[in-house]
Amino acid sequence: MTFRLAHLSDPHVGPLGRPRLSQLFGKRATGYANWRRGRSRSHDMAVLSALVADLRGQGAAHIACTGDLCNIGLPSEWATARSFLDALGTPEAVSFVPGNHDAYVRGSLEGLLDACGPYTTDDTGSAGRFPYLRRRGEVALVGLSSAIPTKPFVASGRLGTAQLAAAETLLRTLATEPGRPCRVVMIHHPPHPGGASPGRELKDAGAFAAMIGRVGADLILHGHNHVLNLARLAGPGGGRIPVVGVPSASALPEGHGGLPNRRASYLLFEIARGGAGFAITARRRGLGADGAIADLGPFALEP
């Protein structure tokens, strides 16, 4: 039986209201200035709405959203973020992990997770704790948080030793189950070494890659770079695990360099058990050259 999983990321939901002067401290001041100077014109809510409407019509069994619902972590953005997730689907049908913009300043991530906690609730009923596990059919979704507050002009992330150790235990346990599930890992920052430029990288990408090399996974999903990308990490026994990043779900082509691999889009994965493992294929849907949402063809997971 085939499981259809949709993946989108970095919607940067707007509009961004005018913050109070008291809220424009530290990184928020520079972030708001950047938003006013041009970042707001790189993201379009009409594009995002059209993309979500198209996604909802594709019959996905589950939706993975890998972060950056917010822009500068204002309290007013938390309700907007929750409304966006509600428009995607119910908490049972949508899984969310946060990004660096969701943890823009201290307290931002906690406020967002209070509002959006049901979309991070694990199989035990606990919300807002990472890693989390959600089983859906033959798929086991493992949510990680790389979201940390950083200095102005820095957008790096970190998992930390405790979360990495817990993720390793969880993935190893899943791998040893009879008829093991398909293990899908969700994270915001590209988790492979060299996956993002200095100042934007996952600080412990090397430790993550080493952990995956010990216990494996079947598919790793991320956002952050606003570009369609495929990398691979070595798994146990020489396996090569696809690491897939998607563009911003609200990206206007002219605001992201005009490049086809940066246009707003999402991926649809078809996951089916095959032999001792799983066969996974993907198709991309999003903004075409004419500005309409369309099927953009298969996305190869093999080099």
Side-chain angles (χ1 to χ4, degrees):
M1 187 171 181
T2 300
F3 186 95
R4 180 171 287 189
L5 174 68
H7 173 215
L8 80 167
S9 195
D10 298 80
H12 291 281
V13 183
L16 183 63
R18 183 178 292 275
R20 298 192 303 271
L21 187 61
S22 61
Q23 294 174 321
L24 292 179
F25 58 89
K27 188 172 182 176
R28 270 206 194 121
T30 57
Y32 185 63
N34 287 338
W35 177 264
R36 293 293 300 272
R37 275 202 303 264
R39 187 177 179 88
S40 62
R41 292 186 289 278
S42 297
H43 299 275
D44 186 87
M45 295 305 102
V47 168
L48 181 61
S49 294
L51 198 77
V52 169
D54 184 83
L55 190 160
R56 290 292 303 270
Q58 298 306 310
H62 202 78
I63 300 169
C65 179
T66 51
D68 277 3
L69 301 183
C70 296
N71 294 287
I72 60 173
L74 289 169
S76 60
E77 294 187 86
W78 302 334
T80 305
R82 174 60 188 261
S83 294
F84 170 76
L85 290 176
D86 288 344
L88 275 182
T90 66
E92 291 73 29
V94 180
S95 293
F96 166 69
V97 296
N100 55 292
H101 281 264
D102 300 319
Y104 210 69
V105 298
R106 294 187 184 279
S108 293
L109 180 59
E110 292 79 4
L112 178 69
L113 292 178
D114 281 346
C116 301
Y119 290 89
T120 67
T121 300
D122 67 15
D123 287 347
T124 70
S126 176
R129 298 172 67 179
F130 301 92
Y132 67 70
L133 170 64
R134 310 181 100 191
R135 295 174 183 268
R136 301 295 185 268
E138 290 194 303
V139 173
L141 296 138
V142 177
L144 303 178
S145 175
S146 58
I148 57 171
T150 58
K151 298 176 181 179
F153 309 111
V154 176
S156 57
R158 181 179 288 107
L159 293 167
T161 55
Q163 188 177 183
L164 279 165
E168 180 166 359
T169 298
L170 180 55
L171 288 167
R172 179 179 288 110
T173 299
L174 291 168
T176 58
E177 289 182 357
R180 73 164 184 85
C182 178
R183 297 168 297 164
V184 178
V185 177
M186 302 172 296
I187 184 174
H188 178 69
H189 289 79
H192 52 292
S197 58
R200 293 179 47 81
E201 78 278 32
L202 182 70
K203 291 293 187 180
D204 40 12
F208 177 86
M211 181 270 288
I212 291 296
R214 291 189 292 269
V215 298
D218 296 283
L219 178 64
I220 301 170
L221 307 177
H222 71 86
H224 190 55
N225 283 346
H226 295 195
V227 63
L228 184 67
N229 184 68
L230 172 67
R232 301 184 80 81
L233 282 175
R240 303 292 289 174
I241 298 160
V243 180
V244 181
V246 290
S248 162
S250 60
L252 282 171
E254 58 270 27
H256 284 71
L259 300 173
N261 64 349
R262 289 186 173 272
R263 292 177 186 150
S265 57
Y266 66 93
L267 288 175
L268 278 173
F269 295 92
E270 300 276 353
I271 301 171
R273 189 175 291 278
F278 291 88
I280 305 175
T281 60
R283 295 191 70 85
R284 184 186 181 197
R285 294 187 65 85
L287 279 182
D290 61 355
I293 305 296
D295 186 334
L296 303 178
F299 179 69
L301 297 179
E302 297 294 333

